[in-house]
DNA sequence: ACATCTAAGGACTTTATATATCTACGGAAT
DNA sequence: ATTCCGTAGATATATAAAGTCCTTAGATGT
């Protein structure tokens, strides 16, 4: 079990957008330079955040990305789900049961069902925990309410 | 988040050992042909189960693998932990915080701490669920108490 | 003590996935 | 019309999973 690195990138992008003074658009390049990650790769992550409606984008001169949600309502789970498509499909297809219970269709189905159900429950429990942590808990209220940083001009 | 394929192999190997008549040793080749997986690879998985003391091994003629534990006490979590080393290390090293809170050591540490803690809690919740499903729930008691199948001679 | 069968282990190859890059395209603002 | 910037697909690289092969070592029966 492993968490995608892009989850971290997604989280801190969201924080930067939340901190942006006046919540004005930030260009992808400003984000990527500051986070010291590849711009073209970060753009793909940004795109996923846009599709998930966590972020807005504007393609024009003076365009860029802005926050598309209430930072106090968005959780780590929301970012994970948006950024990591593999977030849900946990288990590889089970196909060994029919080798261990040959011909016994009932047992085959039952054992696979139990295993799948167990992992599905485990995943739910995992998600429930992540859903409880809002992104705003990583910041101070005063900082993100109207934004305090202009990333583009910050040295 | 993704589950290793070898977890499934580990689980069904355990079931085969539990079902083995008289709990006599089964050779790796018998296991691998029945499960239709590569023998040399299955041996590596078996080795991990041996190290975790879920399985015993004997290297000799008429040797092989036997159950090394009480199947009613062993859970899916035990198999996962034994077979998948990445079971624990969930998060890649966080290092973006110091780009978003430049110079603010307190915030850097705090935000990383919150994220790490969240994922750690999530992992625990995940494991708790898996620990509740014992391997014996995949079988009928009468089947594994003394074993009902001789895999080596089964057609 | 020896022959024999089997697990153990290391080095290696192959395959898949994550991560990152490049280039061309198209929309929006001025 | 021009310019900036996001979008998208093809491509390259890095890293991890999955599988193979060969050698070594351990237990058993004779």
């Amino acid at each position: 079990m492993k968490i995608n690195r892009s989850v971290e990138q997604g989280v801190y992008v969201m924080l930067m957008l939340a901190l942006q003074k006046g919540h004005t658009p930030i260009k992808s390049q400003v984000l990527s330079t500051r986070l010291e990650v590849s711009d073209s790769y970060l753009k793909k992550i940004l795109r996923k955040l846009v599709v998930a409606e966590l972020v807005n984008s504007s393609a024009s001169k003076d365009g860029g990305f802005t926050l598309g949600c209430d930072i106090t309502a968005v959780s780590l789970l929301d970012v994970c789900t948006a950024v990591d498509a593999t977030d849900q499909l946990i288990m590889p297809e089970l196909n060994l049961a029919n080798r261990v219970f040959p011909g016994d269709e009932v047992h085959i189905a039952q054992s696979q069902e139990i295993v799948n159900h167990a992992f599905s429950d485990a995943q739910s429990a995992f998600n429930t925990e992540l859903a409880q942590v809002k992104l705003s808990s990583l910041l101070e209220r005063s900082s993100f309410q109207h934004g305090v940083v202009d990333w583009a001009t910050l040295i």
Side-chain angles (χ1 to χ4, degrees), chain A:
Chain A
M1 201 159 70
K2 226 177 55 179
I3 297 301
N4 219 314
R5 175 190 292 264
S6 50
V7 169
E8 188 194 4
Q9 299 174 0
V11 168
Y12 283 96
V13 160
M14 295 294 292
L15 297 189
M16 286 182 69
L17 295 178
L19 291 174
Q20 169 68 14
K21 184 175 287 182
H23 295 155
T24 55
I26 316 180
K27 301 173 209 178
S28 79
Q29 192 141 39
V30 172
L31 293 165
S32 60
T33 338
R34 163 113 338 227
L35 293 178
E36 287 179 314
V37 299
S38 134
D39 186 54
S40 43
Y41 195 56
L42 187 65
K43 277 181 180 171
K44 294 190 193 298
I45 293 169
L46 283 163
R47 177 62 186 152
K48 291 179 183 174
L49 294 174
V50 170
V51 170
E53 297 186 315
L54 301 182
V55 161
N56 293 323
S57 68
S58 156
S60 73
K61 194 174 164 174
D62 300 324
F65 297 88
T66 54
L67 211 56
C69 62
D70 177 4
I71 194 91
T72 63
V74 171
S75 68
L76 288 179
L77 175 62
D78 296 318
V79 177
C80 281
T81 309
V83 151
D84 186 359
T86 73
D87 187 42
Q88 293 307 329
L89 35 124
I90 260 224
M91 208 61 189
E93 197 185 348
L94 296 176
N95 57 4
L96 296 182
N98 57 357
R99 308 298 304 159
V100 174
F101 307 117
D104 186 346
E105 298 297 336
V106 176
H107 251 93
I108 294 172
Q110 273 183 2
S111 70
Q112 290 182 345
E113 162 72 14
I114 292 174
V115 173
N116 277 324
H117 196 268
F119 277 95
S120 165
D121 281 358
Q123 162 103 52
S124 297
F126 186 93
N127 287 350
T128 300
E129 289 295 324
L130 287 190
Q132 284 168 22
V133 181
K134 307 302 179 191
L135 294 189
S136 53
S137 72
L138 301 174
L139 300 172
E140 290 176 11
R141 173 164 296 276
S142 58
S143 308
F144 62 79
Q145 215 135 34
H146 293 96
V148 292
V149 183
D150 186 1
W151 295 105
T153 61
L154 191 66
I155 321 162

